[in-house]
Structures are given as C-alpha cells and as structure tokens.
C-alpha cells in the first residue's frame, strides 16, 4: 500500500468531516476517530479495499467485452437462472397448483428454498438499479 495514497485518503476524510459536520464538537470527534483509524491501520485497510474494488471493476469490464459467450455470458446466465427460479417460486408454481386444484387434480409441486438465490438476485438487481440511476443522470 502506497503511503502517499493513505495520506490522500486521510486528507480527503478530513475535508469530508469538515463538510458534513457543521457542529464543531461533532467534527472534532469525527476527526479524532479518523486519526485513530489512521494510527491503527484501519485507514490503510479501507484504502486497500477501495483499490481491490476498483481492480474488480476493471476485470468485470474486460470480461464483459470478451467475444466468447463462456467468458462474457456467465453473469447474464446467473441472472436468467435467478429470474427463472423467482418466476417459478412466486408465479408459476402457485398459479399451476391453483389451476390444477381448480380442475380437480391437486398436485404438490416441489418447493424451492429461495434464500441463497435471493441474495444473488437482489445483489444483481441492486447493481442494475444503480446503473439505471447513472443512466438517468447522464453518467457514462
């Protein structure tokens, strides 16, 4: 980790504290916490995590631009799989069970545990939602 980068993060943090804490006492407490983070290495860890996230974004861009469907298509495949499971769990299975029961042939359809997949789906939807906000604001 570059010590000059940590200093830049620290300086930026001090400016943000001054901007978002108009109360001098609250600003001083926030600055003290920022100094504590710098001394204990938490600020360096935060800067490293930010660098890691930026690196992952670059990998994602290169991966999405790849010509092979096996490289660029895995994210859409996960999205469509989640969408299909969501549709089955909350639309198709209940409607199908209702229709079959109404026709006099009640059936028990398999029940999917959607807890793990919902985390992935909601994460993907959250990212796409933020991208929609960026598009509306004109950020490329």
């Amino acid at each position: 980790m570059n010590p000059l980068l940590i200093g830049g993060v620290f300086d930026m943090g001090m400016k943000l504290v001054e901007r978002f804490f108009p109360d001098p006492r609250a600003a001083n407490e926030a600055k003290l916490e920022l100094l504590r983070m710098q001394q204990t290495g938490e600020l360096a860890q935060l800067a490293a995590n930010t660098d890691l996230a930026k690196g992952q974004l670059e990998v994602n861009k290169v991966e999405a631009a790849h010509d092979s469907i096996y490289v660029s298509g895995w994210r859409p495949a996960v999205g469509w799989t989640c969408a299909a499971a969501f549709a089955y769990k909350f639309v198709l299975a209940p409607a199908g069970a209702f229709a079959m029961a109404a026709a006099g042939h009640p059936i028990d359809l398999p029940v999917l545990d959607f807890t793990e997949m919902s985390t992935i789906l909601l994460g993907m939807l959250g990212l796409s939602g933020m991208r929609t906000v960026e598009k509306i604001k004109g950020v490329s």
Side-chain angles (χ1 to χ4, degrees):
M1 172 72 5
N2 185 348
L4 296 175
L5 179 64
I6 295 170
V9 171
F10 178 75
D11 292 339
M12 183 177 64
M14 287 298 216
K15 289 177 184 174
L16 288 173
V17 165
E18 290 170 2
R19 182 173 183 172
F20 290 111
F21 291 94
D23 178 31
R25 181 177 174 173
N28 287 337
E29 288 176 9
K31 287 178 183 178
L32 186 63
E33 178 63 19
L34 194 58
L35 284 168
R36 185 196 62 76
M37 287 176 66
Q38 184 183 31
Q39 288 177 345
T40 61
E42 289 179 53
L43 204 57
Q45 183 62 42
L46 181 64
N49 289 344
T50 303
D51 289 345
L52 182 65
K54 287 178 183 176
Q56 184 61 52
L57 286 173
E58 290 303 315
V59 169
N60 293 352
K61 286 180 188 176
V62 170
E63 190 176 81
H66 200 276
D67 291 336
S68 172
I69 189 81
Y70 296 108
V71 177
S72 62
W74 77 270
R75 288 178 200 274
V78 170
W80 283 112
T81 302
C82 289
F86 187 84
Y88 172 80
K89 171 82 172 167
F90 296 108
V91 179
L92 299 175
F98 175 78
M100 292 301 288
H105 303 288
I107 58 171
D108 289 326
L109 295 173
V111 177
L112 299 178
D113 181 12
F114 196 66
T115 54
E116 291 86 5
M117 194 173 291
S118 65
T119 304
I120 296 168
L121 179 62
L122 293 174
M124 291 177 78
L125 290 174
L127 293 175
S128 65
M130 290 305 294
R131 182 65 187 130
T132 302
V133 171
E134 288 178 348
K135 286 181 180 180
I136 291 170
K137 290 185 175 184
V139 178
S140 59

